[in-house]
Amino acid sequence: MNAQAPIEAGPLLEVKDLKKHYPVRKGVLQRVVGQVYAVDGISFTVGHGETLGLVGESGCGKSTAGKSIMKLIEPTSGEINVAGKRIDNLSRGEMQSVRRQVQFVFQDPYSSLNPRMSAGDIVAEPLRNFGVAVRSEVRDRVAEIFAKVGLRREQMDRFPHEFSGGQRQRIGIARALALHPHLIICDEPVSALDVSVQAQVINLLMDLQQEFRLSYLFIAHDLAVVEHISHRVAVMYLGKIVEIADKRDLFGRAQHPYTEALLSAVPVPNPRAKSQRMILKGDVPSPIRPPSGCRFHTRCPYAVERCKAEEPKIREIAPGHHVACHLRGPDA
Ligand SMILES: Nc1ncnc2c1ncn2[C@@H]1O[C@H](COP(=O)(O)OP(=O)(O)OP(=O)(O)O)[C@@H](O)[C@H]1O
Ligand code: SF4
Ligand SMILES: [Mg+2]
């Protein structure tokens, strides 16, 4: 396997004001009658060897953000830099070299693996496509990657349906690792797995990070998993990032009312421990017509008049701790 990524100044991934709006079409003529503001101006970085967790309720734009970064879907606007190189304006062909550096692990390891290919061929495919190993070496390279993810050489000739869910996700991880990427975008990589298997896959990802100095953008809604694996965490609400902080600050000193609500919904292991649950009123508003001002104002228990009219900017309120709320910051 490859040597560790070189230690470089600056983040590995830098995302600036990323937007992805999907057109809403209607009628026989399929006229565009509106937009889904799925991702609406998010900025963040992921350092070398770092895991940034990305959390938020279903539909807040996590997967859209992950796919836009890799240009699996075309972003509407924004700037994306990988290792200091701008990639958002690259053509499909030019993106090929980036695809070696940035890989994706999907939620459902079954539907993301071709059922007609053997596990070995699935992992060998990127090696062949990119011509990074001569034919006679491919099998040995695949066996080596199999060993790294805890699979046996003789399992290379089996097909996806012959593996358990956890093993299938190991194949997905092996395929992502084949080209020695620097960044892996993991979109809910363990949510489809049994709880007992989740920990094994998370520990594998953490071991691989240590060994290859990998960076992860780790998308998930399970906060316990995110707390375990992440160094920093970003919280999304209706297409916006509302808070980013070091994991300890986020879980210990959450500042945004939405983060507070998310955390208070997590069951507390000790039933006698005092947990002040904050129940959010109402449903998540539609991303087609997001609320004015602060998008969270329709559900926020602390909302004041200003929140309806003025959108709070995301600001650094303590070193590395960024929050978008009128109640937090210098003029609060
Ligand atoms: N191809 C599409 N066309 C139109 N709208 C879309 C499309 N894909 C996603 N959306 C909408 O964009 C918003 C964000 O979706 P996304 O899948 O990114 O959310 P998510 O945070 O990943 O949710 P989940 O936790 O359920 O996976 C949702 O309102 C969704 O309905
Ligand atoms: S800006 Fe206002 S509505 Fe938004 S989170 Fe802060 S207090 Fe709540
Ligand atoms: Mg998703």
Side-chain angles (χ1 to χ4, degrees):
M1 299 290 276
N2 72 327
Q4 291 196 332
I7 296 175
E8 289 172 34
L12 176 63
L13 173 68
E14 187 175 23
V15 174
K16 292 185 197 165
D17 205 17
L18 178 68
K19 294 185 182 170
K20 175 64 193 179
H21 301 163
Y22 296 105
V24 180
R25 296 175 193 276
K26 246 195 178 152
V28 193
L29 297 176
Q30 288 288 290
R31 265 192 327 120
V32 176
V33 294
Q35 303 286 332
V36 179
Y37 297 96
V39 171
D40 206 17
I42 63 170
S43 303
F44 60 86
T45 59
V46 184
H48 294 264
E50 182 185 48
T51 300
L52 177 72
L54 187 58
V55 300
E57 282 164 294
S58 182
C60 70
K62 305 179 296 293
S63 298
T64 302
K67 287 179 190 155
S68 301
I69 290 166
M70 259 191 91
K71 302 227 299 171
L72 297 178
I73 50 179
E74 198 58 39
T76 303
S77 63
E79 190 177 322
I80 303 161
N81 294 284
V82 173
K85 184 176 185 289
R86 192 160 171 186
I87 65 158
D88 53 277
N89 48 11
L90 298 183
S91 66
R92 260 176 192 278
E94 291 168 324
M95 270 303 284
Q96 284 299 88
S97 65
V98 179
R99 296 248 149 82
R100 284 189 64 169
Q101 291 180 56
V102 187
Q103 290 287 312
F104 215 95
V105 171
F106 297 90
Q107 170 173 355
D108 181 353
Y110 200 59
S111 62
S112 64
L113 302 177
N114 184 340
R116 284 179 294 278
M117 281 169 81
S118 71
D121 280 340
I122 288 171
V123 177
E125 195 179 34
L127 296 173
R128 293 194 179 111
N129 287 350
F130 283 84
V132 293
V134 286
R135 242 181 130 157
S136 57
E137 285 176 4
V138 167
R139 226 180 136 75
D140 284 342
R141 282 284 292 279
V142 172
E144 207 183 321
I145 301 164
F146 261 51
K148 291 286 175 207
V149 300
L151 294 170
R152 295 189 308 277
R153 192 185 178 105
E154 63 268 24
Q155 292 176 310
M156 282 167 56
D157 298 318
R158 295 200 193 150
F159 288 82
H161 72 269
E162 297 176 79
F163 291 88
S164 68
Q167 286 172 329
R168 280 200 287 264
Q169 195 54 297
R170 286 171 194 266
I171 300 169
I173 294 168
R175 179 180 55 186
L177 277 180
L179 294 169
H180 304 150
H182 293 151
L183 173 70
I184 302 183
I185 299 174
C186 306
D187 190 357
E188 305 269 7
V190 296
S191 2
L193 305 178
D194 287 350
V195 175
S196 57
V197 182
Q198 287 188 357
Q200 294 167 14
V201 174
I202 292 294
N203 290 338
L204 169 66
L205 287 169
M206 292 173 85
D207 290 347
L208 294 169
Q209 177 167 57
Q210 283 288 317
E211 185 169 356
F212 302 115
R213 201 156 176 271
L214 286 168
S215 303
Y216 295 133
L217 176 62
F218 190 91
I219 298 169
H221 60 261
D222 183 332
L223 292 170
V225 169
V226 169
E227 185 174 15
H228 187 66
I229 196 167
S230 306
H231 298 102
R232 285 186 304 128
V233 179
V235 180
M236 272 186 90
Y237 184 77
L238 264 186
K240 298 264 184 193
I241 288 180
V242 297
E243 184 161 9
I244 305 189
D246 179 85
K247 147 175 92 180
R248 269 171 289 273
D249 288 340
L250 195 112
F251 284 92
R253 283 184 288 279
Q255 294 294 314
H256 195 281
Y258 177 63
T259 314
E260 218 184 291
L262 269 189
L263 295 181
S264 77
V266 177
V268 179
N270 174 1
R272 270 182 296 194
K274 226 165 88 191
S275 106
Q276 303 225 311
R277 288 191 72 146
M278 182 169 150
I279 310 290
L280 287 178
K281 54 182 183 185
D283 294 328
V284 183
S286 162
I288 298 175
R289 271 172 297 279
S292 61
C294 173
R295 288 181 182 198
F296 189 51
H297 85 253
T298 53
R299 301 170 82 199
C300 179
Y302 311 111
V304 291
E305 272 310 305
R306 182 185 178 193
C307 305
K308 287 187 199 164
E310 195 187 325
E311 185 175 346
K313 288 196 173 60
I314 189 151
R315 285 180 296 213
E316 191 167 17
I317 55 154
H321 196 148
H322 301 257
V323 184
C325 173
H326 291 310
L327 298 187
R328 308 281 181 240
D331 52 345

